[in-house]
Amino acid sequence: MFKVAMIGAGSVVFVKNLLTDILDLPELREVTISLHDIDAERLETAGMMARWTAEQFGANAKVEEHLDRRAALDGADFVINMVQIGMHEATLLDFEIPRKYGLKQTIADTLSIGGIFRGLRTIPFMVDMVAEMRELCPDALLLNYTNPMSILTQAVYEAFPEQKVVGLCHNVQNTSKELASYLNVPVERLSYDCAGINHQTWFLKLRIDGEDAYPRLWQAMENPEIYAKDKVRFELMRSFGWFISESSEHNAEYTPYFLKRDDQITEYDVPVDEYIRRSERNLRRYQDTRKQLLSGEAFPLERSVEYGSLIIHAMMTGKPQVIYGNVKNTKLIENLPEGCCVEVPMIVDRNGLRPCQVGNLPPELAGYCAPHVFVQDLTVKAALEGNRDRVHRAALLDRHAASVLSIKEIGAMVEELIEAHGDAMPEGIRASRSQPEQARRYA
């Protein structure tokens, strides 16, 4: 029996989805599921959901609930991280303070100012958790699902170079389904080669039954009904030549092109503050899910597109899988900086994860990704070094913020965010907040 530790198990619906994926595979039904959350009620709810899911599959699954993270990690073969540090209240700060300065955001969980600060408050947790993993389950693979994906994955491999880690997302899988709908073909007929950075992974090749599908996609873009479904990404394809992963609402805040002015927001149907609405829905969804569990109601069980179960299955059985994952750039993409976090195809089998070398991205695509790579790198270094100045420099280099705000406005906004997040900030950053020169600099 192998052990999977799920950290941040209070994300109850996500736990159900991942467990459905795992237990849907007969070879994985002899498993210990070790759940951890710091919220006792959410942990109890996750335990109820896990036991209900295991029962539906007739699995010989042992479900454990641990408020103590060390107990959850002890002896794990796989650790799945899905925490959200600060929850809804921290999310509101990431939106409300930038909005005061005139900076609008849509999702704010990966890039932009919101992504920087979500990274800063989550990196200390990642460092503490992985330090415990090195002691309690040193051979375990860490599957990180928490955003900001690139920042957190890079923080792990920089702080603990020996730790096996992969950042997992569904941006490639979901985009392939969307592309199939635009092309009016079943997704099973599509094949593709992708590479880039998380949420900015480019479909370098796109095929239907082995034939180049890009001519059909360019034609589909001219259909007003199809274009209206994905305006930002179609404009990026029109401008840069390839289709990008993730959604239009995400990509709108990664660039200077769509959120700077109200007329742009209207033209491209950009949903400002979208993640706040999603976060509020998630809070309601949790309460509804708990009520359903307590009343004995059933839930739909369908496989998700997440890669986690496929990785576990490949490593446990030796049957290879191809997935897309976020890992250290060891010349995998040669015209992005070595050491940054890139999203590339990977082969997984009993030997673990083997990333595929992509070579060079087309220069315009590398140039599109590169500014974000340096913001991510500065954010990681700011957190690991406790360097407040590097927080400011990361914010200054953010493409969206710099397209809207001045240097002084960005500086003042960063100071206010650091103060507002308080003890959630890395120790060295919050320890320096009383320094008078910081206040004078942006007066």
Side-chain angles (χ1 to χ4, degrees), residues 341-360:
C341 189
V342 292
E343 190 163 64
V344 295
M346 310 176 74
I347 298 169
V348 191
D349 59 17
R350 204 182 297 279
N351 295 311
L353 303 163
R354 288 180 284 179
C356 300
Q357 186 177 29
V358 174
N360 285 323

Side-chain angles (χ1 to χ4, degrees), residues 78-92:
F78 302 93
V79 175
I80 299 176
N81 178 49
M82 57 189 97
V83 303
Q84 183 182 347
I85 302 299
M87 298 292 286
H88 183 67
E89 293 75 14
T91 294
L92 290 178

Side-chain angles (χ1 to χ4, degrees), residues 150-208:
S150 298
I151 286 172
L152 299 183
T153 304
Q154 181 177 341
V156 170
Y157 63 66
E158 288 208 1
F160 300 94
E162 69 280 15
Q163 177 61 48
K164 293 184 288 186
V165 58
V166 61
L168 298 176
C169 188
H170 44 237
N171 64 155
V172 170
Q173 306 96 295
N174 282 349
T175 298
S176 68
K177 292 170 67 176
E178 290 155 352
L179 287 170
S181 73
Y182 303 154
L183 294 165
N184 195 29
V185 298
V187 69
E188 292 78 15
R189 291 179 59 190
L190 285 188
S191 59
Y192 41 83
D193 295 336
C194 302
I197 63 174
N198 183 238
H199 288 191
Q200 293 183 357
T201 300
W202 299 90
F203 281 68
L204 302 174
K205 293 182 180 178
L206 180 66
R207 310 174 193 87
I208 301 173

